[in-house]
Amino acid sequence: VRVAVDSQLAVDALAKAASAAGVTVGILVDLDLGAKRTGVQTVEQSLELAQHVDQTNGVRLDGLFYYPGHVRDQFEQKFKPLAATLNQAIELWRAHGLAATIVSGGSTPSQYWTHLLPMTTEIRPGNGIYFDRNALSIGYCTQHDCAAKIITTVVSNTVPGKVVLDAGSKTLTSDLLLCATGRG
């Protein structure tokens, strides 16, 4: 098991549970590159958290985690500062005897541009195999590219006015349409 974290509280809770179970949990330090979704805010904070992970029993420092979902166009230009920040974090860790063996990042809009972040060892393309209204609204795909249909079943209707489906959040997204929220 590997988990992305952005706080010592999360590391400590995972370490306590892992130690109680007699296992070790891999940790990726989440570094915010501008999406303002999750992650420590500076490369120095990433080092502090990485050092905490490295010194904590029950967890293992595996690397860095990032999310570039705020970049939706002009990838060649906009990924340059992201690459610089990732490289800065990797070098700072190295200077303090730590390694980011895994550098995990991605989003649906950036999935075909990850080569511009060559330190990346693992990509996470989000809902890229299905696409959704967000991807359609920013011109990342056509309506034809979106999943044509999703088959699901009502598994409960005992509460008046509500039904429960056997579909999860990636199937029936809880994400807001970014252009409707003023963020897109």
Side-chain angles (χ1 to χ4, degrees):
V1 173
R2 186 171 294 121
V3 181
V5 301
D6 61 5
S7 73
Q8 288 187 7
L9 179 66
V11 171
D12 294 344
L14 288 165
K16 182 178 179 182
S19 293
V23 298
T24 300
V25 174
I27 299 291
L28 298 174
V29 173
D30 185 354
L31 176 60
D32 180 18
L33 296 180
K36 303 297 181 207
R37 186 166 91 163
T38 60
V40 297
Q41 298 300 296
T42 67
V43 295
E44 292 79 14
Q45 289 172 341
S46 79
L47 173 63
E48 290 172 19
L49 190 53
Q51 289 172 324
H52 182 72
V53 172
D54 189 54
Q55 297 165 3
T56 303
N57 292 327
V59 292
R60 176 189 64 247
L61 180 62
D62 285 347
L64 277 167
F65 176 97
Y66 70 91
Y67 174 72
H70 61 295
V71 178
R72 296 171 182 260
D73 60 12
Q74 302 174 353
F75 293 96
E76 295 94 343
Q77 175 188 351
K78 293 180 180 177
F79 269 14
K80 286 179 183 177
L82 277 58
T85 300
L86 287 168
N87 280 327
Q88 184 183 7
I90 292 166
E91 290 304 316
L92 183 62
W93 286 25
R94 186 174 294 132
H96 286 84
L98 301 174
T101 306
I102 296 170
V103 179
S104 178
S107 67
T108 298
S110 69
Q111 67 186 343
Y112 298 119
W113 299 94
T114 306
H115 63 281
L116 298 173
L117 300 166
M119 68 291 299
T120 302
T121 63
E122 171 183 272
I123 65 168
R124 299 181 327 277
N127 68 12
I129 62 168
Y130 299 111
F131 295 116
D132 63 8
R133 182 70 176 94
N134 279 331
L136 182 63
S137 72
I138 62 173
Y140 189 70
C141 65
T142 67
Q143 188 171 5
H144 176 74
D145 296 322
C146 294
K149 60 182 161 184
I150 297 170
I151 299 171
T152 186
T153 304
V154 173
V155 295
S156 175
N157 67 351
T158 59
V159 176
K162 293 185 178 184
V163 296
V164 176
L165 305 176
D166 64 352
S169 67
K170 289 297 183 190
T171 305
L172 304 171
T173 185
S174 59
D175 291 343
L176 299 174
L177 183 59
L178 291 180
C179 64
T181 64
R183 295 184 294 157

